[in-house]
Amino acid sequence: MSTITLTTFKWVPPIVQGLVRDLRVRWALEEAGLAYTTRLIGPPNQQSAEYLRLQPFGQVPVYQEDGLVLFESGAIVLHIAERSEALMPTERNARACTKAWMFAALNSVEQFAQMFTELDLFAAGQDWAKLRRPMLLAATIARLSKLAQWLEGREYLEDRFTAADLLMTTVLRTLRHSDLVTKNSTLHAYQHRCEARPAFQKALKDHMASFAANAPA
Ligand SMILES: N[C@@H](CCC(=O)N[C@@H](CS)C(=O)NCC(=O)O)C(=O)O
């Protein structure tokens, strides 16, 4: 029986709790029915030479299993999905489409959602942010509306729930400070549908419980 260890932060401020990328890995592990333990880190040890050998950028999450060390949450979710039909169909073409949407979530949508959210949460009020925001907002809305167009009349990105929906949902969550998802009924219903899954609820509960247990005094 292999042991899976997921490294994530001991604590983060409430504004980003529920968004840290260990959540998508926890969710994938829950969907796949794989048990895991966590290793909690905090500054400064994420910049130690030892940690940088596991995660070259000093970030979380890190996944370890039987000598395998993986960083990049998308690669970790893919690794889990490849061994679980709950996250990826077995048929070759369907698997390729799942992977395409996984890349789309991380490459075509997340980069906009992430930049927009970081600007609003961490740079609001600064002159450069005021200048940058309108273009970034328009670009994010354009990406989201294309995504909503694709999802129109569908429950999931492909015929059934897959790891691509898991990633896309975690990307949409990053926009929670805004109304960009909630005001779009298709995207809002999609996010809600995916987040209603018991595996997501369990993952979120564990993710939040860990921060609560390690909150600074
Ligand atoms: N592309 C990476 C991004 C990882 C990432 O940005 N992690 C954040 C937490 S969600 C982090 O560790 N931030 C602290 C830092 O960058 O120093 C992944 O998907 O794993």
Side-chain angles (χ1 to χ4, degrees):
M1 189 73 179
S2 61
T3 307
I4 296 171
T5 305
L6 176 62
T7 302
T8 187
F9 289 138
K10 185 183 264 184
W11 185 82
V12 294
I15 199 164
V16 288
Q17 290 180 12
L19 299 181
V20 182
R21 288 175 175 81
D22 66 285
L23 176 63
R24 46 179 69 154
V25 179
R26 289 179 187 266
W27 185 4
L29 289 167
E30 293 295 341
E31 294 282 358
L34 295 170
Y36 65 98
T37 57
T38 53
R39 174 191 174 211
L40 302 179
I41 61 161
N45 40 357
Q46 84 208 54
Q47 297 304 331
S48 69
E50 184 229 340
Y51 189 69
L52 292 174
R53 277 194 291 276
L54 306 179
Q55 214 296 0
F57 307 107
Q59 297 180 310
V60 300
V62 171
Y63 174 101
Q64 289 170 276
E65 180 185 16
D66 291 343
L68 169 69
V69 181
L70 271 185
F71 66 101
E72 282 299 331
S73 59
I76 299 169
V77 171
L78 178 59
H79 175 72
I80 298 165
E82 279 181 328
R83 61 204 255 198
S84 168
E85 211 184 330
L87 287 165
M88 197 181 273
T90 51
E91 197 273 321
R92 197 178 66 151
N93 288 353
R95 284 173 87 79
C97 291
T98 297
K99 289 178 196 171
W101 273 112
M102 291 176 77
F103 277 89
L106 301 181
N107 194 39
S108 299
V109 185
E110 184 170 50
Q111 57 168 317
F112 293 100
Q114 181 75 24
M115 282 191 290
F116 180 74
T117 298
E118 281 187 6
L119 187 139
D120 276 3
L121 298 191
F122 306 123
Q126 295 183 36
D127 288 346
W128 72 267
K130 286 183 201 152
L131 292 173
R132 176 82 177 107
R133 194 175 190 277
M135 263 182 73
L136 198 47
L137 175 63
T140 308
I141 289 174
R143 249 341 115 97
L144 292 178
S145 68
K146 286 282 190 297
L147 176 64
Q149 217 173 305
W150 175 268
L151 282 167
E152 195 65 52
R154 299 172 196 255
E155 292 211 345
Y156 300 109
L157 293 166
E158 292 290 321
D159 297 343
R160 43 155 288 196
F161 177 85
T162 69
D165 298 296
L166 183 157
L167 290 177
M168 192 66 85
T169 302
T170 59
V171 169
L172 295 178
R173 284 176 62 78
T174 62
L175 293 163
R176 68 183 182 187
H177 73 285
S178 75
D179 63 358
L180 294 186
V181 173
T182 50
K183 74 180 179 195
N184 182 312
S185 57
T186 303
L187 291 183
H188 192 208
Y190 169 72
Q191 183 179 341
H192 189 264
R193 184 176 310 122
C194 294
E195 290 185 349
R197 297 176 68 82
F200 173 80
Q201 292 299 324
K202 172 78 167 69
L204 181 64
K205 185 165 151 265
D206 291 345
H207 170 96
M208 296 300 288
S210 176
F211 294 137
N214 293 292

